[in-house]
Amino acid sequence: MPGLHAPPIVKRIIRLDVPVDKFPTYNFVGRILGPRGNSLKRVELATHCRVFIRGRGSVKDTVKEEKLKGKPGYEHLCEPLHILIEAELPEDIIHSRLEHAVHFLESLLMPMDESMDHYKREQLKELAALNGTLREESPSLSLSPCLSPSMSPFNSKRAKTGQ
């Protein structure tokens, strides 16, 4: 259509620092990546943004990380652990996409008690499914241990009385 022009494509990068100083034992990288990197891939797909984990601790193998430090392309390994969110989108939508990615990733950077962490539970289920070790949950198992199928009165056999 004459007179209408597409908004210009712009590139923006947002940096989120990972609070490893406050929570040194928490596995932020695993939480963000998820099983086989699938959680990160879903964030990228939903937001149309690229997400990069950078800084100390971003390489799984610490020996390899030490060898890479200072080499071209690995300067980030001298910085604290952080996330870069990059988008190259039309000017009219880039802000909302980046905001969506930031909001979601910030929620992953807030450690929580494992018993309340539904996100991690879903990741563990996904990993079990990928590994072929997923067990179907029985509703009776979640009710009470005394109601498990092995403890059910309907599964017990009568003792032989000799009659």
Side-chain angles (χ1 to χ4, degrees):
M1 289 184 180
L4 290 178
H5 66 320
I9 303 290
V10 292
K11 183 176 180 177
R12 299 266 190 312
I13 299 173
I14 295 178
R15 177 183 166 134
L16 296 178
D17 290 322
V18 179
V20 287
D21 52 335
K22 291 180 187 170
F23 308 99
T25 60
Y26 197 78
N27 182 10
F28 290 104
V29 174
R31 183 170 174 81
I32 294 164
L33 288 175
R36 309 216 177 120
N38 288 342
S39 298
L40 182 64
K41 290 173 194 170
R42 280 193 289 274
V43 171
E44 291 180 331
L45 191 64
T47 62
H48 299 274
C49 298
R50 296 272 300 146
V51 180
F52 304 94
I53 301 171
R54 296 288 186 253
R56 282 187 300 278
S58 62
V59 177
K60 191 173 188 176
D61 183 347
T62 54
V63 175
K64 184 178 181 181
E65 183 174 311
E66 281 303 314
K67 288 179 183 175
L68 293 171
K69 246 183 215 179
K71 291 191 175 171
Y74 295 96
E75 295 83 3
H76 65 88
L77 293 174
C78 296
E79 300 174 32
L81 190 63
H82 60 280
I83 300 168
L84 295 178
I85 308 164
E86 177 184 279
E88 197 166 346
L89 297 164
E91 195 172 39
D92 59 341
I93 64 167
I94 193 167
H95 179 73
S96 64
R97 297 290 172 92
L98 283 168
E99 198 174 87
H100 183 222
V102 166
H103 178 72
F104 183 77
L105 290 165
E106 281 180 338
S107 73
L108 296 181
L109 297 178
M110 290 185 269
M112 61 173 47
D113 182 70
E114 281 196 30
S115 65
M116 305 296 287
D117 194 346
H118 301 291
Y119 187 75
K120 182 170 184 176
R121 202 167 327 175
E122 290 302 311
Q123 285 182 322
L124 291 172
K125 276 186 199 173
E126 180 182 358
L127 181 62
L130 288 168
N131 291 336
T133 58
L134 180 65
R135 291 180 289 159
E136 291 301 317
E137 291 182 28
S138 167
S140 61
L141 291 176
S142 61
L143 296 175
S144 166
C146 67
L147 295 177
S148 71
S150 62
M151 300 290 283
S152 169
F154 303 108
N155 287 347
S156 61
K157 294 183 178 179
R158 288 177 66 178
K160 292 185 179 177
T161 57
Q163 294 176 337

Short mmCIF file of all heavy atoms in Angstrom, two decimals, residues 105-163:
data_model
loop_
_atom_site.label_atom_id
_atom_site.label_comp_id
_atom_site.label_asym_id
_atom_site.label_seq_id
_atom_site.Cartn_x
_atom_site.Cartn_y
_atom_site.Cartn_z
N LEU A 105 12.61 -13.82 32.79
CA LEU A 105 13.94 -14.20 33.27
C LEU A 105 14.19 -13.70 34.68
O LEU A 105 14.83 -14.38 35.49
CB LEU A 105 15.01 -13.73 32.30
CG LEU A 105 15.03 -14.49 30.97
CD1 LEU A 105 15.85 -13.76 29.94
CD2 LEU A 105 15.53 -15.91 31.17
N GLU A 106 13.70 -12.52 35.02
CA GLU A 106 13.84 -12.02 36.39
C GLU A 106 13.14 -12.94 37.38
O GLU A 106 13.63 -13.15 38.49
CB GLU A 106 13.30 -10.59 36.51
CG GLU A 106 14.25 -9.55 36.00
CD GLU A 106 13.73 -8.13 36.13
OE1 GLU A 106 12.50 -7.92 36.22
OE2 GLU A 106 14.58 -7.22 36.12
N SER A 107 12.02 -13.51 36.96
CA SER A 107 11.32 -14.44 37.86
C SER A 107 12.15 -15.69 38.12
O SER A 107 12.08 -16.28 39.19
CB SER A 107 9.95 -14.82 37.29
OG SER A 107 10.08 -15.70 36.19
N LEU A 108 12.97 -16.09 37.14
CA LEU A 108 13.85 -17.25 37.33
C LEU A 108 15.06 -16.93 38.19
O LEU A 108 15.71 -17.83 38.71
CB LEU A 108 14.32 -17.78 35.97
CG LEU A 108 13.25 -18.31 35.03
CD1 LEU A 108 13.89 -18.82 33.76
CD2 LEU A 108 12.43 -19.40 35.69
N LEU A 109 15.37 -15.65 38.34
CA LEU A 109 16.52 -15.24 39.13
C LEU A 109 16.18 -15.02 40.60
O LEU A 109 17.00 -14.53 41.36
CB LEU A 109 17.14 -13.96 38.54
CG LEU A 109 17.70 -14.11 37.13
CD1 LEU A 109 18.23 -12.78 36.62
CD2 LEU A 109 18.77 -15.18 37.07
N MET A 110 14.96 -15.40 40.98
CA MET A 110 14.55 -15.31 42.38
C MET A 110 14.44 -16.73 42.93
O MET A 110 13.45 -17.42 42.66
CB MET A 110 13.20 -14.59 42.50
CG MET A 110 13.27 -13.13 42.17
SD MET A 110 11.71 -12.30 42.45
CE MET A 110 10.96 -12.47 40.83
N PRO A 111 15.46 -17.17 43.67
CA PRO A 111 15.43 -18.53 44.22
C PRO A 111 14.22 -18.73 45.11
O PRO A 111 13.76 -17.81 45.78
CB PRO A 111 16.71 -18.63 45.03
CG PRO A 111 17.60 -17.58 44.48
CD PRO A 111 16.69 -16.47 44.03
N MET A 112 13.72 -19.96 45.09
CA MET A 112 12.59 -20.28 45.97
C MET A 112 12.78 -21.67 46.53
O MET A 112 13.59 -22.45 46.03
CB MET A 112 11.26 -20.16 45.22
CG MET A 112 11.10 -21.08 44.03
SD MET A 112 9.47 -21.05 43.30
CE MET A 112 9.13 -19.34 43.17
N ASP A 113 12.04 -21.95 47.57
CA ASP A 113 12.09 -23.26 48.19
C ASP A 113 11.67 -24.32 47.18
O ASP A 113 10.69 -24.15 46.46
CB ASP A 113 11.14 -23.27 49.41
CG ASP A 113 11.18 -24.58 50.14
OD1 ASP A 113 12.21 -24.87 50.77
OD2 ASP A 113 10.18 -25.32 50.05
N GLU A 114 12.43 -25.42 47.12
CA GLU A 114 12.17 -26.45 46.11
C GLU A 114 10.76 -27.03 46.22
O GLU A 114 10.17 -27.43 45.22
CB GLU A 114 13.21 -27.56 46.20
CG GLU A 114 14.50 -27.18 45.55
CD GLU A 114 15.41 -28.36 45.28
OE1 GLU A 114 14.91 -29.47 45.07
OE2 GLU A 114 16.63 -28.13 45.28
N SER A 115 10.22 -27.09 47.42
CA SER A 115 8.88 -27.66 47.58
C SER A 115 7.80 -26.78 46.93
O SER A 115 6.72 -27.25 46.62
CB SER A 115 8.55 -27.88 49.06
OG SER A 115 8.49 -26.63 49.72
N MET A 116 8.12 -25.50 46.72
CA MET A 116 7.17 -24.56 46.13
C MET A 116 7.50 -24.25 44.67
O MET A 116 6.80 -23.49 44.03
CB MET A 116 7.17 -23.24 46.92
CG MET A 116 6.90 -23.40 48.39
SD MET A 116 5.25 -24.02 48.71
CE MET A 116 4.29 -22.60 48.31
N ASP A 117 8.58 -24.82 44.15
CA ASP A 117 9.07 -24.47 42.82
C ASP A 117 8.42 -25.33 41.74
O ASP A 117 8.94 -26.37 41.35
CB ASP A 117 10.59 -24.60 42.80
CG ASP A 117 11.21 -23.93 41.60
OD1 ASP A 117 10.48 -23.59 40.65
OD2 ASP A 117 12.45 -23.76 41.60
N HIS A 118 7.28 -24.88 41.24
CA HIS A 118 6.55 -25.62 40.21
C HIS A 118 7.33 -25.64 38.89
O HIS A 118 7.27 -26.61 38.15
CB HIS A 118 5.16 -25.02 40.00
CG HIS A 118 4.34 -25.03 41.25
ND1 HIS A 118 3.86 -26.19 41.81
CD2 HIS A 118 3.93 -24.02 42.06
CE1 HIS A 118 3.18 -25.90 42.91
NE2 HIS A 118 3.21 -24.59 43.09
N TYR A 119 8.05 -24.58 38.61
CA TYR A 119 8.82 -24.49 37.37
C TYR A 119 9.88 -25.58 37.34
O TYR A 119 10.03 -26.29 36.35
CB TYR A 119 9.45 -23.10 37.26
CG TYR A 119 10.13 -22.83 35.93
CD1 TYR A 119 9.38 -22.58 34.79
CD2 TYR A 119 11.51 -22.83 35.82
CE1 TYR A 119 9.99 -22.33 33.57
CE2 TYR A 119 12.13 -22.58 34.61
CZ TYR A 119 11.36 -22.33 33.49
OH TYR A 119 11.97 -22.08 32.29
N LYS A 120 10.61 -25.74 38.45
CA LYS A 120 11.64 -26.77 38.51
C LYS A 120 11.02 -28.17 38.43
O LYS A 120 11.56 -29.06 37.78
CB LYS A 120 12.46 -26.65 39.79
CG LYS A 120 13.58 -27.68 39.86
CD LYS A 120 14.53 -27.42 40.99
CE LYS A 120 15.67 -28.42 40.94
NZ LYS A 120 16.67 -28.15 41.95
N ARG A 121 9.87 -28.34 39.07
CA ARG A 121 9.19 -29.63 39.01
C ARG A 121 8.83 -30.00 37.57
O ARG A 121 9.01 -31.13 37.14
CB ARG A 121 7.92 -29.57 39.87
CG ARG A 121 7.45 -30.92 40.31
CD ARG A 121 6.42 -30.82 41.39
NE ARG A 121 6.71 -29.65 42.21
CZ ARG A 121 5.96 -29.20 43.17
NH1 ARG A 121 4.86 -29.80 43.48
NH2 ARG A 121 6.29 -28.13 43.87
N GLU A 122 8.36 -29.01 36.81
CA GLU A 122 8.04 -29.25 35.40
C GLU A 122 9.30 -29.56 34.59
O GLU A 122 9.28 -30.41 33.70
CB GLU A 122 7.31 -28.04 34.80
CG GLU A 122 5.89 -27.88 35.33
CD GLU A 122 5.02 -29.10 35.09
OE1 GLU A 122 4.99 -29.61 33.95
OE2 GLU A 122 4.37 -29.55 36.05
N GLN A 123 10.39 -28.87 34.91
CA GLN A 123 11.66 -29.16 34.23
C GLN A 123 12.12 -30.59 34.53
O GLN A 123 12.60 -31.28 33.64
CB GLN A 123 12.75 -28.17 34.66
CG GLN A 123 12.60 -26.80 34.06
CD GLN A 123 13.73 -25.88 34.49
OE1 GLN A 123 14.20 -25.91 35.63
NE2 GLN A 123 14.17 -25.03 33.57
N LEU A 124 11.98 -31.02 35.77
CA LEU A 124 12.38 -32.38 36.13
C LEU A 124 11.51 -33.42 35.44
O LEU A 124 12.00 -34.47 35.00
CB LEU A 124 12.35 -32.57 37.65
CG LEU A 124 13.43 -31.80 38.41
CD1 LEU A 124 13.19 -31.90 39.92
CD2 LEU A 124 14.82 -32.29 38.06
N LYS A 125 10.21 -33.13 35.31
CA LYS A 125 9.32 -34.03 34.58
C LYS A 125 9.74 -34.12 33.11
O LYS A 125 9.76 -35.19 32.52
CB LYS A 125 7.87 -33.53 34.63
CG LYS A 125 7.11 -33.92 35.85
CD LYS A 125 5.67 -33.48 35.68
CE LYS A 125 4.95 -33.41 36.98
NZ LYS A 125 3.61 -32.84 36.84
N GLU A 126 10.06 -32.96 32.53
CA GLU A 126 10.49 -32.93 31.14
C GLU A 126 11.78 -33.73 30.96
O GLU A 126 11.92 -34.50 30.00
CB GLU A 126 10.70 -31.49 30.69
CG GLU A 126 11.14 -31.38 29.25
CD GLU A 126 11.40 -29.94 28.80
OE1 GLU A 126 11.23 -28.99 29.58
OE2 GLU A 126 11.81 -29.78 27.63
N LEU A 127 12.71 -33.57 31.89
CA LEU A 127 13.96 -34.32 31.80
C LEU A 127 13.72 -35.82 31.90
O LEU A 127 14.29 -36.60 31.14
CB LEU A 127 14.93 -33.86 32.91
CG LEU A 127 16.28 -34.54 32.93
CD1 LEU A 127 17.05 -34.27 31.63
CD2 LEU A 127 17.09 -34.07 34.13
N ALA A 128 12.84 -36.22 32.81
CA ALA A 128 12.52 -37.64 32.95
C ALA A 128 11.88 -38.17 31.66
O ALA A 128 12.20 -39.28 31.21
CB ALA A 128 11.59 -37.86 34.13
N ALA A 129 11.01 -37.37 31.05
CA ALA A 129 10.39 -37.78 29.79
C ALA A 129 11.44 -37.92 28.69
O ALA A 129 11.42 -38.87 27.91
CB ALA A 129 9.31 -36.78 29.38
N LEU A 130 12.37 -36.97 28.64
CA LEU A 130 13.43 -37.04 27.64
C LEU A 130 14.33 -38.26 27.84
O LEU A 130 14.80 -38.86 26.88
CB LEU A 130 14.30 -35.77 27.69
CG LEU A 130 13.65 -34.49 27.16
CD1 LEU A 130 14.49 -33.27 27.54
CD2 LEU A 130 13.45 -34.56 25.66
N ASN A 131 14.54 -38.61 29.10
CA ASN A 131 15.40 -39.76 29.42
C ASN A 131 14.65 -41.08 29.40
O ASN A 131 15.25 -42.13 29.60
CB ASN A 131 16.06 -39.57 30.79
CG ASN A 131 17.08 -38.47 30.78
OD1 ASN A 131 17.64 -38.14 29.74
ND2 ASN A 131 17.33 -37.89 31.94
N GLY A 132 13.32 -41.02 29.23
CA GLY A 132 12.52 -42.23 29.23
C GLY A 132 12.31 -42.81 30.62
O GLY A 132 12.05 -44.00 30.77
N THR A 133 12.42 -41.99 31.65
CA THR A 133 12.25 -42.47 33.02
C THR A 133 11.05 -41.85 33.73
O THR A 133 10.95 -41.95 34.95
CB THR A 133 13.53 -42.18 33.85
OG1 THR A 133 13.78 -40.77 33.84
CG2 THR A 133 14.72 -42.93 33.30
N LEU A 134 10.16 -41.22 32.98
CA LEU A 134 9.01 -40.57 33.59
C LEU A 134 8.04 -41.62 34.09
O LEU A 134 7.64 -42.52 33.37
CB LEU A 134 8.30 -39.66 32.58
CG LEU A 134 7.07 -38.92 33.09
CD1 LEU A 134 7.47 -37.93 34.19
CD2 LEU A 134 6.38 -38.18 31.97
N ARG A 135 7.68 -41.48 35.36
CA ARG A 135 6.68 -42.36 35.95
C ARG A 135 5.38 -41.58 36.05
O ARG A 135 5.38 -40.42 36.45
CB ARG A 135 7.10 -42.80 37.35
CG ARG A 135 8.29 -43.74 37.34
CD ARG A 135 8.65 -44.13 38.74
NE ARG A 135 9.23 -42.93 39.37
CZ ARG A 135 9.30 -42.74 40.68
NH1 ARG A 135 8.84 -43.62 41.51
NH2 ARG A 135 9.85 -41.65 41.17
N GLU A 136 4.30 -42.23 35.69
CA GLU A 136 3.00 -41.57 35.79
C GLU A 136 2.65 -41.43 37.26
O GLU A 136 2.79 -42.36 38.04
CB GLU A 136 1.91 -42.37 35.07
CG GLU A 136 2.08 -42.39 33.57
CD GLU A 136 2.06 -41.00 32.95
OE1 GLU A 136 1.23 -40.17 33.35
OE2 GLU A 136 2.90 -40.75 32.08
N GLU A 137 2.19 -40.23 37.62
CA GLU A 137 1.80 -40.00 39.01
C GLU A 137 0.40 -40.53 39.24
O GLU A 137 -0.50 -40.33 38.44
CB GLU A 137 1.83 -38.51 39.32
CG GLU A 137 3.23 -37.94 39.33
CD GLU A 137 3.24 -36.48 39.70
OE1 GLU A 137 2.31 -36.04 40.42
OE2 GLU A 137 4.14 -35.77 39.26
N SER A 138 0.25 -41.22 40.33
CA SER A 138 -1.05 -41.74 40.71
C SER A 138 -1.69 -40.76 41.68
O SER A 138 -1.04 -40.30 42.60
CB SER A 138 -0.88 -43.10 41.39
OG SER A 138 -2.07 -43.47 42.02
N PRO A 139 -2.97 -40.43 41.50
CA PRO A 139 -3.61 -39.49 42.41
C PRO A 139 -3.59 -40.01 43.84
O PRO A 139 -3.51 -39.25 44.77
CB PRO A 139 -5.04 -39.36 41.91
CG PRO A 139 -5.14 -40.16 40.67
CD PRO A 139 -3.85 -40.87 40.45
N SER A 140 -3.62 -41.33 44.01
CA SER A 140 -3.65 -41.88 45.36
C SER A 140 -2.31 -41.66 46.07
O SER A 140 -2.28 -41.56 47.29
CB SER A 140 -3.99 -43.37 45.33
OG SER A 140 -3.00 -44.07 44.61
N LEU A 141 -1.21 -41.56 45.32
CA LEU A 141 0.08 -41.36 45.95
C LEU A 141 0.18 -39.97 46.56
O LEU A 141 0.85 -39.78 47.56
CB LEU A 141 1.22 -41.55 44.95
CG LEU A 141 1.44 -42.97 44.46
CD1 LEU A 141 2.53 -42.99 43.40
CD2 LEU A 141 1.80 -43.87 45.62
N SER A 142 -0.47 -39.02 45.96
CA SER A 142 -0.35 -37.66 46.46
C SER A 142 -1.28 -37.40 47.64
O SER A 142 -1.11 -36.45 48.36
CB SER A 142 -0.63 -36.65 45.34
OG SER A 142 -1.94 -36.84 44.86
N LEU A 143 -2.27 -38.27 47.84
CA LEU A 143 -3.20 -38.05 48.94
C LEU A 143 -2.55 -38.36 50.28
O LEU A 143 -2.52 -37.55 51.18
CB LEU A 143 -4.45 -38.92 48.77
CG LEU A 143 -5.32 -38.60 47.55
CD1 LEU A 143 -6.45 -39.61 47.44
CD2 LEU A 143 -5.89 -37.20 47.69
N SER A 144 -2.05 -39.55 50.41
CA SER A 144 -1.48 -39.97 51.67
C SER A 144 -0.69 -41.24 51.44
O SER A 144 -1.09 -42.09 50.66
CB SER A 144 -2.62 -40.22 52.66
OG SER A 144 -2.15 -40.93 53.78
N PRO A 145 0.42 -41.41 52.17
CA PRO A 145 1.19 -42.64 51.97
C PRO A 145 0.38 -43.89 52.34
O PRO A 145 0.60 -44.95 51.80
CB PRO A 145 2.39 -42.47 52.90
CG PRO A 145 2.30 -41.13 53.52
CD PRO A 145 1.03 -40.49 53.08
N CYS A 146 -0.57 -43.76 53.24
CA CYS A 146 -1.33 -44.94 53.64
C CYS A 146 -2.33 -45.36 52.57
O CYS A 146 -2.90 -46.44 52.66
CB CYS A 146 -2.03 -44.70 54.98
SG CYS A 146 -3.32 -43.47 54.92
N LEU A 147 -2.55 -44.50 51.57
CA LEU A 147 -3.48 -44.84 50.51
C LEU A 147 -2.78 -45.29 49.24
O LEU A 147 -3.40 -45.38 48.20
CB LEU A 147 -4.39 -43.64 50.19
CG LEU A 147 -5.33 -43.21 51.30
CD1 LEU A 147 -6.11 -41.98 50.87
CD2 LEU A 147 -6.28 -44.32 51.69
N SER A 148 -1.49 -45.56 49.33
CA SER A 148 -0.79 -46.01 48.14
C SER A 148 -1.31 -47.37 47.73
O SER A 148 -1.82 -48.12 48.56
CB SER A 148 0.72 -46.05 48.39
OG SER A 148 1.02 -47.11 49.26
N PRO A 149 -1.20 -47.73 46.44
CA PRO A 149 -1.75 -49.00 45.97
C PRO A 149 -1.25 -50.21 46.73
O PRO A 149 -1.99 -51.14 46.99
CB PRO A 149 -1.31 -49.06 44.50
CG PRO A 149 -1.08 -47.65 44.11
CD PRO A 149 -0.64 -46.95 45.36
N SER A 150 0.00 -50.20 47.16
CA SER A 150 0.53 -51.37 47.86
C SER A 150 -0.08 -51.51 49.26
O SER A 150 -0.08 -52.59 49.83
CB SER A 150 2.05 -51.29 47.96
OG SER A 150 2.41 -50.15 48.71
N MET A 151 -0.58 -50.42 49.81
CA MET A 151 -1.16 -50.45 51.15
C MET A 151 -2.69 -50.58 51.10
O MET A 151 -3.34 -50.64 52.12
CB MET A 151 -0.81 -49.16 51.90
CG MET A 151 0.67 -48.94 52.08
SD MET A 151 1.40 -50.09 53.22
CE MET A 151 0.85 -49.37 54.76
N SER A 152 -3.25 -50.62 49.93
CA SER A 152 -4.69 -50.68 49.79
C SER A 152 -5.24 -51.98 50.36
O SER A 152 -4.66 -53.05 50.16
CB SER A 152 -5.07 -50.58 48.31
OG SER A 152 -6.43 -50.89 48.14
N PRO A 153 -6.37 -51.91 51.04
CA PRO A 153 -6.96 -53.14 51.59
C PRO A 153 -7.43 -54.08 50.47
O PRO A 153 -7.59 -55.26 50.69
CB PRO A 153 -8.14 -52.65 52.43
CG PRO A 153 -8.41 -51.26 51.97
CD PRO A 153 -7.13 -50.74 51.40
N PHE A 154 -7.60 -53.55 49.25
CA PHE A 154 -8.09 -54.37 48.15
C PHE A 154 -6.96 -55.18 47.51
O PHE A 154 -7.22 -56.06 46.73
CB PHE A 154 -8.79 -53.51 47.10
CG PHE A 154 -9.93 -52.71 47.70
CD1 PHE A 154 -9.81 -51.34 47.87
CD2 PHE A 154 -11.09 -53.35 48.11
CE1 PHE A 154 -10.84 -50.63 48.42
CE2 PHE A 154 -12.12 -52.63 48.67
CZ PHE A 154 -12.01 -51.26 48.83
N ASN A 155 -5.72 -54.83 47.82
CA ASN A 155 -4.58 -55.54 47.24
C ASN A 155 -4.07 -56.65 48.17
O ASN A 155 -3.20 -57.40 47.78
CB ASN A 155 -3.43 -54.59 46.96
CG ASN A 155 -3.72 -53.71 45.76
OD1 ASN A 155 -4.65 -53.97 45.01
ND2 ASN A 155 -2.95 -52.67 45.60
N SER A 156 -4.56 -56.69 49.37
CA SER A 156 -4.02 -57.68 50.31
C SER A 156 -4.64 -59.05 50.04
O SER A 156 -5.78 -59.18 49.63
CB SER A 156 -4.29 -57.25 51.76
OG SER A 156 -5.69 -57.15 51.97
N LYS A 157 -3.84 -60.07 50.28
CA LYS A 157 -4.33 -61.44 50.10
C LYS A 157 -4.65 -62.00 51.47
O LYS A 157 -3.98 -61.69 52.45
CB LYS A 157 -3.27 -62.28 49.42
CG LYS A 157 -3.00 -61.84 48.00
CD LYS A 157 -2.00 -62.72 47.33
CE LYS A 157 -1.82 -62.25 45.89
NZ LYS A 157 -0.85 -63.04 45.17
N ARG A 158 -5.64 -62.81 51.51
CA ARG A 158 -6.01 -63.44 52.77
C ARG A 158 -4.96 -64.49 53.13
O ARG A 158 -4.47 -65.20 52.27
CB ARG A 158 -7.36 -64.10 52.66
CG ARG A 158 -8.47 -63.09 52.58
CD ARG A 158 -9.77 -63.73 52.41
NE ARG A 158 -10.13 -64.53 53.60
CZ ARG A 158 -11.26 -65.17 53.71
NH1 ARG A 158 -12.14 -65.14 52.75
NH2 ARG A 158 -11.54 -65.87 54.78
N ALA A 159 -4.68 -64.55 54.37
CA ALA A 159 -3.77 -65.56 54.83
C ALA A 159 -4.43 -66.92 54.75
O ALA A 159 -5.62 -67.07 54.99
CB ALA A 159 -3.35 -65.27 56.28
N LYS A 160 -3.64 -67.93 54.38
CA LYS A 160 -4.19 -69.28 54.30
C LYS A 160 -4.40 -69.80 55.72
O LYS A 160 -3.53 -69.71 56.56
CB LYS A 160 -3.25 -70.19 53.52
CG LYS A 160 -3.18 -69.82 52.07
CD LYS A 160 -2.34 -70.79 51.30
CE LYS A 160 -2.32 -70.39 49.85
NZ LYS A 160 -1.47 -71.24 49.05
N THR A 161 -5.57 -70.33 55.91
CA THR A 161 -5.88 -70.85 57.25
C THR A 161 -5.88 -72.36 57.29
O THR A 161 -6.10 -72.96 58.31
CB THR A 161 -7.26 -70.35 57.71
OG1 THR A 161 -8.23 -70.75 56.75
CG2 THR A 161 -7.26 -68.84 57.87
N GLY A 162 -5.63 -72.98 56.17
CA GLY A 162 -5.59 -74.43 56.13
C GLY A 162 -6.94 -75.06 55.90
O GLY A 162 -7.10 -76.25 56.03
N GLN A 163 -7.94 -74.27 55.66
CA GLN A 163 -9.27 -74.83 55.44
C GLN A 163 -9.60 -74.94 54.00
O GLN A 163 -9.31 -74.26 53.14
CB GLN A 163 -10.35 -73.98 56.12
CG GLN A 163 -10.20 -74.03 57.60
CD GLN A 163 -11.21 -73.10 58.28
OE1 GLN A 163 -11.71 -72.17 57.68
NE2 GLN A 163 -11.48 -73.37 59.53
#
